[in-house]
Amino acid sequence: MKSSWSSLPIAWQDAFGLAVDSYLRRDAAPIGAVVTDGAGTIVSRGGNAISSHRLAHAEMEAFAGVPATLDRRAARLFVTVEPCPMCAGALRMMQLGNVHFAARDPAAGATRLLQDDGFMREIRCAVHAPRIPALEQVVVALVIEHRMRKGHTRWQPAWEAYQPVAFSFGRLWPPRALMRSGGMGRSALRRSTNPPFRSASAPGASPSRRVMVGCPANPFPDPWSYV
């Protein structure tokens, strides 16, 4: 499958941009979410902000901005990491017809709860598992770097079993401050055996245009052409 950032649907570009924005600006878990209407137009966005409030998950932020006139059964939630139990419950209460996630959460992922009992099943929400391997691996690597740096090691074996290559790569990434600095150019990244990311956005750029660039000489199947 040809991998390029421009080939990603705009919903995934925006969701990933929001995840990176949360990661770099808020020092929060790198998770972003958008809601689209039936035509695929983004109507609401959210980035993880639990560094300021424990309930400020990306999905909750996106749900808060959903317009009252939205046809919810035709709407779709795109989120970089599988929703947790709280967000799965909120998804049911929002009555959205579809949920897409770029990467599973082998510890807290809870989309299975949408089929848990009669109440949860009453309003059907179609669950769409990860379908873009390179995006999935980059998301997992970002999550692992954040978790390791924050000392959240309890569920690391589950993450490693789920995506061992992305897990290993996430552990190799340098501190987030270096990534934010943007001091390394693409040519330097290609020579690096421990490649950081750098922000490639212009000052004031929207999260959907804030992309990440990195080193193609890595264990992933050409993920940098996604990001």
Side-chain angles (χ1 to χ4, degrees):
M1 178 177 61
K2 185 180 185 299
S3 57
S4 69
W5 173 258
S6 60
S7 72
L8 284 178
I10 190 63
W12 281 129
Q13 291 187 30
D14 263 45
F16 185 75
L18 288 158
V20 170
D21 191 61
S22 292
Y23 175 77
L24 293 178
R25 288 201 310 110
R26 298 172 173 172
D27 197 20
I31 303 174
V34 301
V35 175
T36 67
D37 63 17
T41 301
I42 295 173
V43 298
S44 184
R45 296 173 171 85
N48 190 291
I50 63 170
S51 55
S52 59
H53 192 289
R54 291 295 300 170
L55 300 184
H57 288 203
E59 300 96 321
M60 304 296 280
E61 298 288 290
F63 292 156
V66 169
T69 56
L70 180 68
D71 178 358
R72 301 188 181 206
R73 304 306 304 137
R76 296 175 181 270
L77 169 68
F78 291 81
V79 59
T80 53
V81 177
E82 182 181 4
C84 70
M86 176 182 72
C87 295
L91 178 61
R92 163 62 179 85
M93 300 308 293
M94 288 296 296
Q95 303 182 359
L96 302 188
N98 295 269
V99 56
H100 303 254
F101 48 94
R104 295 186 181 278
D105 184 336
T111 53
R112 67 187 184 283
L113 297 180
L114 295 171
Q115 297 296 321
D116 190 56
D117 58 27
F119 176 79
M120 296 296 283
R121 292 191 298 269
E122 183 181 23
I123 299 179
R124 183 177 180 274
C125 178
V127 176
H128 303 270
R131 296 182 179 179
I132 306 173
L135 179 61
E136 179 180 12
Q137 291 176 331
V138 170
V139 166
V140 170
L142 272 176
V143 169
I144 294 305
E145 194 285 328
H146 180 266
R147 289 179 60 85
M148 297 291 287
R149 181 162 41 80
K150 292 294 187 178
H152 302 319
T153 59
R154 181 179 178 188
W155 297 104
Q156 297 303 67
W159 282 97
E160 184 173 16
Y162 164 49
Q163 284 284 350
V165 175
F167 180 88
S168 296
F169 193 66
R171 294 181 65 182
L172 295 176
W173 272 351
R176 189 174 54 92
L178 176 59
M179 296 172 63
R180 179 188 291 155
S181 71
M184 296 184 68
R186 185 182 294 269
S187 61
L189 290 167
R190 286 172 177 162
R191 294 191 299 270
S192 174
T193 58
N194 183 22
F197 276 172
R198 65 178 177 84
S199 176
S201 64
S206 69
S208 64
R209 296 297 176 261
R210 184 175 289 106
V211 300
M212 305 300 287
V213 296
C215 175
N218 64 77
F220 295 153
D222 191 23
W224 308 129
S225 53
Y226 274 108
V227 296

